[in-house]
Amino acid sequence: MVKEIERAGIPVVHMCTVTPISMTVGANRIVPTIAIPHPLGNPSLTMEEEKDIRRKLVGRALKALTTEVTEQTIFEE
Amino acid sequence: MAFKVVHYINQFFAQVGGEEMAHIAPELREGKVGPGVALEAAWKGEAAIAKTIVCGDSYFAEHEKEAKATILDWVKAEAPDLFIAGPAFNAGRYGYACATIAKAVKEELGIKVLTGMYEENPGADLKKDILIVATANNAAGMRQAAPKMAALALKLMKGEEIGASVVEGYMNQGIRVNFFEKERGAKRAVDMMIKKLNDEPFVTEYPMPTFDRVAPNPAIKDLSKATIALCTSGGIVPKGNPDHIESSSASHYGEYCIEGVLDLTPETYETAHGGYDPVYANADADRVLPVDIMREFEAKGIIGKLHNKYYATVGNGTAVANAKAFAAEYAQKLKADGVDAVIMTST
């Protein structure tokens, strides 16, 4: 799906936990996430701590969208 | 008595001319022409090209019905043991013509056929219907292609059993044949792993589907003016799953308005996704689709706007072809709505 969005001319970032799949599928901007059932959260933390993590991850996704890439790139930090 | 072959080639390989001669109608010539020389040489007298049909690529593409009728008449009159076309390498119209005419000869005259071309040639779409030898993408590959095609052609004419596609060099037709391997699976797997660890070449027994690539789009210049949309394969839907998106092998996607929605709550949103524990997503769907944080960023002016619709489907077991079609469709909607960038989340 990311590839079709990209093909339509819209930059897209893929946030997922299993980044090798994202690489195989052909996403160009990839942000690794926490876990399969809760990519953007962590139920073992408090709501506030969780939001903080989510804020960081979404921030990283936005950073990926504002970063020029020429090849598939995983935005770790 | 040598087997009799009819060979189909285009204007270029017949040395009639290039693009400027692509309009020529089919003509029937005696004996071998162009690449037929290499094929016949490889047959070492066991088969010979009786006739060569030369047809312009544009003519075939634009007058398919007439070209087909003429060529089928000629092939029928000749009654060869085999009809061979090409190889076409990566020439699109030529490859299409080779595959189309070979298929027609096979199906309408019941004559054995063979062609060859590059795997991405549009003609290769017919690989399930006819045997197509995989070749290089340009005519420099003739030296490898001709003997491969000739060998397979001879097997076909002799009525010998055709081996697996990887062995014979034709394009995989998606047919599985049961047979006994010499070595058991565990041994083959370990052998393969050792080769892989030693950086030695090995051949997989289960090739992964090939995925094409799309070049990355330019980055967003000014986030504070950008409209960003959220999409997910994690199955986040309004509570009750109004579009009945399947928990597995989804047949459609949903478009949901989040105008004025600041936070996804357990009362309002849930996941339709099977295959992972839904407890965490059902308790707080922001864990999959971060609407809360996007609203926060929107309010702070970090992003211009969160798009007022999101698109969701379930990734669990969903066919690649379906997923592709879903996104191709909603990407156009996103584009029409002036969305600048997309965050796609997956579980």
Side-chain angles (χ1 to χ4, degrees), chain A residues 1-18 22-29 33 35-45 47 50-52 54-72, chain B residues 208-209 211-223 228 231-233 263 276-278 280-281 283-284 286-290 292-294 296-297 300 302-303 313 323-328 330-332 334-335 339-347:
Chain A
M1 291 200 287
V2 280
K3 212 161 47 192
E4 293 312 309
I5 294 169
E6 194 95 78
R7 209 191 299 276
I10 306 172
V12 51
V13 55
H14 192 202
M15 304 190 76
C16 67
T17 305
V18 195
S22 186
M23 290 292 284
T24 313
V25 164
N28 290 318
R29 294 175 170 93
T33 52
I36 293 175
H38 45 80
L40 289 149
N42 186 347
S44 64
L45 304 175
M47 203 62 149
E50 233 191 314
K51 270 196 151 182
D52 215 41
R54 185 147 63 240
R55 216 169 271 129
K56 278 202 191 103
L57 286 171
V58 175
R60 201 174 295 161
L62 295 175
K63 196 184 142 215
L65 287 172
T66 50
T67 306
E68 298 292 353
V69 299
T70 51
E71 54 182 6
Q72 292 187 289
Chain B
M208 296 305 287
F211 296 96
D212 67 333
R213 290 283 176 265
V214 179
N217 285 309
I220 296 298
K221 300 275 175 288
D222 186 356
L223 262 187
I228 316 250
C231 296
T232 187
S233 66
D263 187 20
Y276 72 80
D277 185 349
Y280 313 107
D284 183 0
D286 293 297
R287 285 169 174 159
V288 177
L289 195 77
D292 58 348
I293 301 297
M294 289 298 278
E296 199 181 290
F297 285 0
K300 284 184 189 158
I302 296 174
I303 61 166
T313 191
K324 199 175 143 108
F326 300 163
Y330 67 65
Q332 292 309 318
L334 291 167
K335 231 182 146 179
V339 167
D340 298 301
V342 169
I343 296 177
M344 169 79 72
T345 66
S346 288
T347 47

Side-chain angles (χ1 to χ4, degrees), chain B residues 5-23:
Chain B
V5 177
V6 170
H7 189 198
Y8 176 93
I9 57 175
N10 72 354
Q11 82 286 349
F12 176 76
F13 283 96
Q15 298 187 358
V16 174
E19 198 53 42
E20 78 286 356
M21 296 305 285
H23 64 278

Side-chain angles (χ1 to χ4, degrees), chain B residues 123-142:
Chain B
D125 284 356
L126 293 179
K127 68 183 176 190
K128 298 248 159 102
D129 301 315
I130 50 165
L131 283 177
I132 304 179
V133 169
T135 72
N137 63 0
N138 65 68
M142 187 65 88

Side-chain angles (χ1 to χ4, degrees), chain B residues 37 77 85 89 149 171 205 223 262 282 286 290 301 304 308 313:
Chain B
V37 176
F89 305 102
M149 286 178 71
M171 293 180 200
E205 294 182 10
L223 262 187
L262 300 179
N282 287 341
D286 293 297
N308 64 0
T313 191

